[in-house]
Amino acid sequence: MESNSGKRDQWGSKFGFIMAAAGSAIGLGNVWRFPYITGKYGGGALVVIYLLFVIFIGTSVMLAELSIGRKARLDSVGSFKKLGGGAWPLVGWLGFFCAFVILSYYSVITGWTVAYMFKSLGGLMEQAAVSGGAADAFVAFVSDPVLTILCLMVVMASVVGVAYRGISGGIEKSCKVLMPALFVIILILIVRSVTLPGAEAGLRFYLLPDFSKVSAEGILAAVGQGFYSLSLGMGIMITYGSYLGSHEDMPKLTRTIVLLDTSVAFMAGLVIFPAVFAFGIDAGSGPGLTFVTLPAVFAQMPMGAIFSFAFFALLFIAAFTSCISLFEVVVTFAVDELHWNRAKSALAMGAAITLLGVPSALSVGGHIPQVFGKDFLDALDFITNNAIMPIGGIFVSIFVGWIWTKGALDEISNRGELKFKFYKAWLWICRLIAPVCITAVFITGLKW
Ligand code: PFF
């Protein structure tokens, strides 16, 4: 464990870093939003567009963030102070604020996955087997203030416990176990789902390219999802990069993280659609799909309780490792900028985030008034995802593309040790293409 006076902690291995960064990227968004967007806007045709975006733009922005963090070896605010000066630290502040706020509600939903793991084994299947039962069970659960806040506290206490142990001893150790477990679970669930009678209809809906369904709206949704899915624009990769060894091949690491993230998003669709179509249930989106539709689907399967438990365990791992990364942005900030030790940073920030999570936990059950027509949780989600994250991404790209370009090239090539073959492409993506694309997503996303 590092303190503010000791040597900076580092990832113990390449594998550990990849598991932690992929753990951040693979989250709730992969499991429900990617499959949903894909199915709705053109199946395989949209996957191609999504792939083009993540391969060219997502990878470039991730590389930019990692290089900033590794060069400065500081949190996101400190990194921009050190490398940019002037008003640039504001971009870091935006990231800190965004991570703090996202975690406050992301941990609430992570808490739901914990409850649903246990509910799966304790009567949820019987409830969900009757028509409308899964929806009633969900409403009853989110309306229970004690239970939802308790789940939030359990999740946040666990997140604090991991962060307290530091980068190599906490985050890396847990992600090295959790992420392989996630892959095993998702593979088991895919086999179950695609072998159900009637599964082909779901596969057809999910994957057959239908160019007539591709629209500007769909393309922007895919681009926005790519950005969110890779955890860009809020200083996570800057923070994780700041603990990365100076001889690691960042372009290669980035490609691996993007590949893992995209594979899990793709595989989640192979779990969800065949199962939903096999039982003739309408595939919705969001919490509705995961906490209502899927329990109803599992309730009709032989050994449904076990598969339901496995599914919510998968969702829990995906969400929890993303929570860990969001929290590390905040903790590294407290250690580097406020000069607190790691224990104090984790405890104090953890308590503050939990407090902010309480209104989100209460809002879904209608216990507190709405904010301009949205639940408090949805309002925070809207502001962070649609406004703050894209702004962060735009400025990170501009920063490396126009301001700190030579420094970034030097860092990405390990000070000339590696040949960075795609330098020209990367440069123009950061200079022009990424800011333009992200601005388009930003503008269209501002409809409240
Ligand atoms: N990438 C995560 C997902 O796809 O669910 C979500 C996420 C985690 C976004 C962490 C942003 C973040 F900082």
Side-chain angles (χ1 to χ4, degrees), residues 67-81:
S67 67
I68 293 172
R70 194 178 71 171
K71 176 67 188 180
R73 299 234 170 267
L74 285 170
D75 67 299
S76 58
V77 175
S79 291
F80 279 105
K81 237 187 244 169

PDB file of all heavy atoms in Angstrom, residues 67-81:
ATOM      1  N   SER A  67      -1.321   7.725 -21.958  1.00  0.00           N
ATOM      2  CA  SER A  67      -0.023   8.397 -22.078  1.00  0.00           C
ATOM      3  C   SER A  67       0.058   9.604 -21.138  1.00  0.00           C
ATOM      4  O   SER A  67       1.103   9.863 -20.540  1.00  0.00           O
ATOM      5  CB  SER A  67       0.252   8.802 -23.529  1.00  0.00           C
ATOM      6  OG  SER A  67      -0.655   9.796 -23.940  1.00  0.00           O
ATOM      7  N   ILE A  68      -1.041  10.316 -20.986  1.00  0.00           N
ATOM      8  CA  ILE A  68      -1.042  11.472 -20.079  1.00  0.00           C
ATOM      9  C   ILE A  68      -0.738  11.015 -18.651  1.00  0.00           C
ATOM     10  O   ILE A  68       0.125  11.557 -17.964  1.00  0.00           O
ATOM     11  CB  ILE A  68      -2.422  12.192 -20.112  1.00  0.00           C
ATOM     12  CG1 ILE A  68      -2.660  12.839 -21.483  1.00  0.00           C
ATOM     13  CG2 ILE A  68      -2.535  13.229 -18.991  1.00  0.00           C
ATOM     14  CD1 ILE A  68      -4.079  13.393 -21.667  1.00  0.00           C
ATOM     15  N   GLY A  69      -1.456   9.967 -18.215  1.00  0.00           N
ATOM     16  CA  GLY A  69      -1.275   9.483 -16.844  1.00  0.00           C
ATOM     17  C   GLY A  69       0.115   8.933 -16.608  1.00  0.00           C
ATOM     18  O   GLY A  69       0.755   9.212 -15.594  1.00  0.00           O
ATOM     19  N   ARG A  70       0.604   8.137 -17.584  1.00  0.00           N
ATOM     20  CA  ARG A  70       1.898   7.508 -17.332  1.00  0.00           C
ATOM     21  C   ARG A  70       3.021   8.527 -17.315  1.00  0.00           C
ATOM     22  O   ARG A  70       3.978   8.410 -16.551  1.00  0.00           O
ATOM     23  CB  ARG A  70       2.185   6.416 -18.360  1.00  0.00           C
ATOM     24  CG  ARG A  70       3.353   5.551 -17.885  1.00  0.00           C
ATOM     25  CD  ARG A  70       3.651   4.436 -18.804  1.00  0.00           C
ATOM     26  NE  ARG A  70       4.250   4.909 -20.034  1.00  0.00           N
ATOM     27  CZ  ARG A  70       4.759   4.092 -20.949  1.00  0.00           C
ATOM     28  NH1 ARG A  70       4.719   2.781 -20.770  1.00  0.00           N
ATOM     29  NH2 ARG A  70       5.293   4.579 -22.046  1.00  0.00           N
ATOM     30  N   LYS A  71       2.899   9.559 -18.152  1.00  0.00           N
ATOM     31  CA  LYS A  71       3.951  10.574 -18.151  1.00  0.00           C
ATOM     32  C   LYS A  71       3.946  11.368 -16.842  1.00  0.00           C
ATOM     33  O   LYS A  71       4.976  11.569 -16.204  1.00  0.00           O
ATOM     34  CB  LYS A  71       3.741  11.533 -19.336  1.00  0.00           C
ATOM     35  CG  LYS A  71       4.712  12.685 -19.387  1.00  0.00           C
ATOM     36  CD  LYS A  71       6.105  12.165 -19.671  1.00  0.00           C
ATOM     37  CE  LYS A  71       7.145  13.268 -19.539  1.00  0.00           C
ATOM     38  NZ  LYS A  71       8.491  12.772 -19.822  1.00  0.00           N
ATOM     39  N   ALA A  72       2.734  11.798 -16.432  1.00  0.00           N
ATOM     40  CA  ALA A  72       2.681  12.678 -15.258  1.00  0.00           C
ATOM     41  C   ALA A  72       2.817  11.899 -13.947  1.00  0.00           C
ATOM     42  O   ALA A  72       3.269  12.432 -12.943  1.00  0.00           O
ATOM     43  CB  ALA A  72       1.375  13.462 -15.263  1.00  0.00           C
ATOM     44  N   ARG A  73       2.404  10.639 -13.961  1.00  0.00           N
ATOM     45  CA  ARG A  73       2.391   9.814 -12.753  1.00  0.00           C
ATOM     46  C   ARG A  73       1.611  10.489 -11.623  1.00  0.00           C
ATOM     47  O   ARG A  73       2.043  10.546 -10.480  1.00  0.00           O
ATOM     48  CB  ARG A  73       3.810   9.492 -12.282  1.00  0.00           C
ATOM     49  CG  ARG A  73       4.610   8.714 -13.278  1.00  0.00           C
ATOM     50  CD  ARG A  73       5.183   7.434 -12.678  1.00  0.00           C
ATOM     51  NE  ARG A  73       5.755   6.560 -13.680  1.00  0.00           N
ATOM     52  CZ  ARG A  73       5.096   5.572 -14.280  1.00  0.00           C
ATOM     53  NH1 ARG A  73       3.841   5.334 -13.968  1.00  0.00           N
ATOM     54  NH2 ARG A  73       5.678   4.821 -15.181  1.00  0.00           N
ATOM     55  N   LEU A  74       0.467  11.048 -12.015  1.00  0.00           N
ATOM     56  CA  LEU A  74      -0.393  11.728 -11.040  1.00  0.00           C
ATOM     57  C   LEU A  74      -1.851  11.448 -11.367  1.00  0.00           C
ATOM     58  O   LEU A  74      -2.172  10.906 -12.417  1.00  0.00           O
ATOM     59  CB  LEU A  74      -0.158  13.238 -11.106  1.00  0.00           C
ATOM     60  CG  LEU A  74       1.134  13.781 -10.490  1.00  0.00           C
ATOM     61  CD1 LEU A  74       1.311  15.246 -10.874  1.00  0.00           C
ATOM     62  CD2 LEU A  74       1.128  13.620  -8.970  1.00  0.00           C
ATOM     63  N   ASP A  75      -2.735  11.870 -10.484  1.00  0.00           N
ATOM     64  CA  ASP A  75      -4.179  11.819 -10.724  1.00  0.00           C
ATOM     65  C   ASP A  75      -4.538  12.703 -11.917  1.00  0.00           C
ATOM     66  O   ASP A  75      -3.676  13.429 -12.435  1.00  0.00           O
ATOM     67  CB  ASP A  75      -4.891  12.331  -9.476  1.00  0.00           C
ATOM     68  CG  ASP A  75      -4.599  13.803  -9.275  1.00  0.00           C
ATOM     69  OD1 ASP A  75      -3.411  14.146  -9.099  1.00  0.00           O
ATOM     70  OD2 ASP A  75      -5.532  14.616  -9.344  1.00  0.00           O
ATOM     71  N   SER A  76      -5.821  12.728 -12.306  1.00  0.00           N
ATOM     72  CA  SER A  76      -6.150  13.458 -13.542  1.00  0.00           C
ATOM     73  C   SER A  76      -5.987  14.976 -13.391  1.00  0.00           C
ATOM     74  O   SER A  76      -5.541  15.645 -14.325  1.00  0.00           O
ATOM     75  CB  SER A  76      -7.551  13.091 -14.035  1.00  0.00           C
ATOM     76  OG  SER A  76      -8.508  13.375 -13.065  1.00  0.00           O
ATOM     77  N   VAL A  77      -6.303  15.521 -12.224  1.00  0.00           N
ATOM     78  CA  VAL A  77      -6.120  16.976 -12.052  1.00  0.00           C
ATOM     79  C   VAL A  77      -4.623  17.318 -12.084  1.00  0.00           C
ATOM     80  O   VAL A  77      -4.169  18.204 -12.821  1.00  0.00           O
ATOM     81  CB  VAL A  77      -6.738  17.464 -10.716  1.00  0.00           C
ATOM     82  CG1 VAL A  77      -6.443  18.942 -10.493  1.00  0.00           C
ATOM     83  CG2 VAL A  77      -8.243  17.209 -10.698  1.00  0.00           C
ATOM     84  N   GLY A  78      -3.846  16.568 -11.300  1.00  0.00           N
ATOM     85  CA  GLY A  78      -2.406  16.812 -11.230  1.00  0.00           C
ATOM     86  C   GLY A  78      -1.738  16.610 -12.580  1.00  0.00           C
ATOM     87  O   GLY A  78      -0.800  17.334 -12.944  1.00  0.00           O
ATOM     88  N   SER A  79      -2.224  15.632 -13.357  1.00  0.00           N
ATOM     89  CA  SER A  79      -1.615  15.357 -14.662  1.00  0.00           C
ATOM     90  C   SER A  79      -1.760  16.561 -15.578  1.00  0.00           C
ATOM     91  O   SER A  79      -0.803  16.971 -16.238  1.00  0.00           O
ATOM     92  CB  SER A  79      -2.282  14.149 -15.324  1.00  0.00           C
ATOM     93  OG  SER A  79      -1.971  12.980 -14.626  1.00  0.00           O
ATOM     94  N   PHE A  80      -2.966  17.132 -15.628  1.00  0.00           N
ATOM     95  CA  PHE A  80      -3.164  18.290 -16.504  1.00  0.00           C
ATOM     96  C   PHE A  80      -2.421  19.522 -15.993  1.00  0.00           C
ATOM     97  O   PHE A  80      -1.976  20.361 -16.769  1.00  0.00           O
ATOM     98  CB  PHE A  80      -4.666  18.578 -16.683  1.00  0.00           C
ATOM     99  CG  PHE A  80      -5.308  17.687 -17.707  1.00  0.00           C
ATOM    100  CD1 PHE A  80      -6.125  16.635 -17.328  1.00  0.00           C
ATOM    101  CD2 PHE A  80      -5.074  17.888 -19.056  1.00  0.00           C
ATOM    102  CE1 PHE A  80      -6.707  15.808 -18.270  1.00  0.00           C
ATOM    103  CE2 PHE A  80      -5.647  17.069 -20.024  1.00  0.00           C
ATOM    104  CZ  PHE A  80      -6.469  16.018 -19.630  1.00  0.00           C
ATOM    105  N   LYS A  81      -2.296  19.609 -14.669  1.00  0.00           N
ATOM    106  CA  LYS A  81      -1.527  20.731 -14.091  1.00  0.00           C
ATOM    107  C   LYS A  81      -0.082  20.631 -14.546  1.00  0.00           C
ATOM    108  O   LYS A  81       0.531  21.592 -14.984  1.00  0.00           O
ATOM    109  CB  LYS A  81      -1.573  20.603 -12.555  1.00  0.00           C
ATOM    110  CG  LYS A  81      -2.140  21.816 -11.839  1.00  0.00           C
ATOM    111  CD  LYS A  81      -1.958  21.629 -10.345  1.00  0.00           C
ATOM    112  CE  LYS A  81      -3.299  21.536  -9.637  1.00  0.00           C
ATOM    113  NZ  LYS A  81      -3.195  21.100  -8.238  1.00  0.00           N
TER     114      LYS A  81
END
